[in-house]
Amino acid sequence: WSSSPAVVLITLDTTRVDHLSCYGYERMTSPNLDALAERAVRFDRAWSTSSWTLPAHASLFTGKYPSRHGADYDPHGSAVLGDVIGLPIARQMRAGKLADGATTLAELMAERGYATGAFVAGPWLHRSFGLLQGFAHKDDAVSTFGGRPAAEITAAALGWLEGIEPERPYFLFANYFDPHAPYEPVGRYPEFPRATEPLDYDYTALMRGTAALGEDARAVLRDRYDAEIRDMDHQLGVLLDAVRARPGGDRALVIITADHGEALGEEGRLGHGFWLNEELTRIPLLVRYPGDRDGGSRSEEPMQLTDVLPLLARELDLVVPAQVEGVEQGKRE
């Protein structure tokens, strides 16, 4: 155990890379993520495998594309969102769950003796969709479309960490959901003065492209969305500080990414899941290696969510399962 670093994998749900200050955004949305970037490798050409949560996370955990892992929209699928949240329309949202026979990152970590814990805020990450197999501790008490607030995820993760023996390596997965609709920030920030203004729109019509968002409404939406990122970033900082304060915290391997972005009025679109444009598929990817190796550097190497499993396998000397479609760094032709 003593030679195995802790591993922290965090997904920032619905987070656009071009709205993060560490990726050049002109507004300060992510001060804690920016601080981590100074000690991490920032990948500037990272991409999701999908524009919505379930298939993207399944790719992250298995190293496979949606066409191979099968956890995607399916009108005949056995997994129903309505079984997780109470909205009537959710009864119509069906998907194929990740098969029980799939080999996940959490299972690989558990086999190496890692304590494994998952803390999720979004409804599509509920255990009923198969993504949490391999995690001994599953905190997925989500019951609403808007998910769980970041503070709740951080508190649950910190509580779990306190129960892990100091010398035992752990694999912590946290999913923050705040920038997802309905865009209701908790904090009040002078940088985003219109975040407190009401935003009256038909989300479903906008998401489907049958209505348009005016420029004034877009300005309000932008402030509300950016303030949500700032809320999330604050809690991210609390969690990262706790990880660093634990014994061996300087050796922890921290990976932060997103499952997809969000359309915020471009070409009349709002939301995600229906298109594959850059606002939705380009994602942040920050890797803080043990000892801050290569900290503060930037990489132009193309990366996808499928490549995270091979990256971790190389760092931890894990055997990459057969049929993994992700590529180890430096080996993409």
Side-chain angles (χ1 to χ4, degrees), residues 11 13 119-123 139-157 174-182 184-187 228-236 239:
T11 54
D13 216 291
F119 305 85
V120 304
D139 189 321
D140 59 349
V142 54
S143 59
T144 65
F145 173 74
R148 302 162 70 190
E152 186 175 323
I153 297 301
T154 297
N175 163 248
Y176 289 111
F177 199 70
D178 301 64
H180 194 283
E184 296 175 343
V186 176
E228 290 258 48
I229 293 178
R230 188 69 169 269
D231 282 347
M232 175 177 66
D233 179 81
H234 173 71
Q235 291 299 324
L236 174 67
L239 178 58

Side-chain angles (χ1 to χ4, degrees), residues 58-65 68-69 102-105 108 304-314 318-328 332:
S59 290
L60 175 65
F61 290 152
T62 66
K64 298 180 181 180
Y65 294 114
R68 181 68 64 85
H69 62 59
T103 300
T104 67
L105 186 53
L108 296 176
Q304 298 182 81
L305 288 179
T306 49
D307 301 332
V308 171
L309 190 153
L311 184 154
L312 279 170
R314 183 186 66 180
L318 303 173
V319 176
V320 177
Q323 298 183 330
V324 164
E325 296 170 296
V327 179
E328 186 179 321
R332 177 169 277 106

Side-chain angles (χ1 to χ4, degrees), residues 90-101:
R91 300 301 313 172
Q92 305 171 29
M93 298 179 181
R94 308 182 72 96
K97 64 174 289 187
L98 185 65
D100 292 339

Side-chain angles (χ1 to χ4, degrees), residues 162-187:
E162 289 177 0
I164 303 297
E165 305 97 308
E167 70 280 1
R168 185 177 184 186
Y170 61 87
F171 174 43
L172 187 159
F173 168 66
N175 163 248
Y176 289 111
F177 199 70
D178 301 64
H180 194 283
Y183 317 119
E184 296 175 343
V186 176

Side-chain angles (χ1 to χ4, degrees), residues 11-332:
T11 54
L12 312 176
D13 216 291
T14 324
T15 300
R16 286 176 57 144
V17 66
D18 62 348
H19 277 245
L20 296 174
S21 40
C22 59
Y23 274 88
Y25 191 40
E26 66 270 17
R27 305 210 284 182
M28 180 54 69
T29 53
S30 52
N32 290 293
L33 192 61
D34 297 0
L36 179 77
E38 294 298 317
R39 299 184 290 117
V41 177
R42 191 187 85 183
F43 290 90
D44 289 338
R45 300 174 62 197
W47 302 87
S48 180
T49 58
S50 181
S51 61
W52 72 287
T53 299
L54 178 62
H57 278 88
S59 290
L60 175 65
F61 290 152
T62 66
K64 298 180 181 180
Y65 294 114
S67 58
R68 181 68 64 85
H69 62 59
D72 207 342
Y73 280 128
D74 182 352
H76 306 294
S78 61
V80 184
L81 186 62
D83 291 340
V84 178
I85 62 176
L87 287 177
I89 193 173
R91 300 301 313 172
Q92 305 171 29
M93 298 179 181
R94 308 182 72 96
K97 64 174 289 187
L98 185 65
D100 292 339
T103 300
T104 67
L105 186 53
E107 290 172 319
L108 296 176
M109 302 295 279
E111 289 174 1
R112 280 286 296 271
Y114 275 69
T116 55
F119 305 85
V120 304
W124 285 108
L125 286 173
H126 188 270
R127 72 188 70 187
S128 59
F129 300 110
L131 298 183
L132 301 187
Q133 54 188 283
F135 287 103
H137 182 86
K138 303 176 180 67
D139 189 321
D140 59 349
V142 54
S143 59
T144 65
F145 173 74
R148 302 162 70 190
E152 186 175 323
I153 297 301
T154 297
L158 294 184
W160 179 74
L161 279 178
E162 289 177 0
I164 303 297
E165 305 97 308
E167 70 280 1
R168 185 177 184 186
Y170 61 87
F171 174 43
L172 187 159
F173 168 66
N175 163 248
Y176 289 111
F177 199 70
D178 301 64
H180 194 283
Y183 317 119
E184 296 175 343
V186 176
R188 297 293 177 259
Y189 312 101
E191 301 97 321
F192 319 122
R194 305 193 69 180
T196 59
E197 294 184 23
L199 185 60
D200 185 19
Y201 61 89
D202 185 336
Y203 179 80
T204 302
L206 287 166
M207 191 170 60
R208 291 176 175 171
T210 57
L213 200 65
E215 286 304 312
D216 191 67
R218 283 189 68 181
V220 175
L221 174 62
R222 182 191 188 209
D223 274 19
R224 291 175 71 119
Y225 179 79
D226 287 351
E228 290 258 48
I229 293 178
R230 188 69 169 269
D231 282 347
M232 175 177 66
D233 179 81
H234 173 71
Q235 291 299 324
L236 174 67
V238 174
L239 178 58
L240 293 178
D241 284 347
V243 168
R244 198 172 188 182
R246 284 180 61 86
D250 61 326
R251 297 181 56 248
L253 175 57
V254 179
I255 299 177
I256 300 180
T257 188
D259 53 352
H260 55 78
E262 181 86 324
L264 296 173
E266 297 85 3
E267 299 178 348
R269 296 168 172 166
L270 179 69
H272 56 270
F274 290 88
W275 320 282
L276 293 172
N277 51 313
E278 184 168 337
E279 292 85 3
L280 300 181
T281 56
R282 185 174 170 232
I283 55 174
L285 177 60
L286 298 164
V287 181
R288 187 268 184 183
Y289 291 101
D292 294 348
R293 190 176 82 234
D294 299 325
S297 65
R298 296 168 60 175
S299 174
E300 290 291 326
E301 180 176 359
M303 293 286 285
Q304 298 182 81
L305 288 179
T306 49
D307 301 332
V308 171
L309 190 153
L311 184 154
L312 279 170
R314 183 186 66 180
E315 287 295 313
L316 304 176
D317 196 25
L318 303 173
V319 176
V320 177
Q323 298 183 330
V324 164
E325 296 170 296
V327 179
E328 186 179 321
Q329 280 179 265
K331 294 188 177 181
R332 177 169 277 106

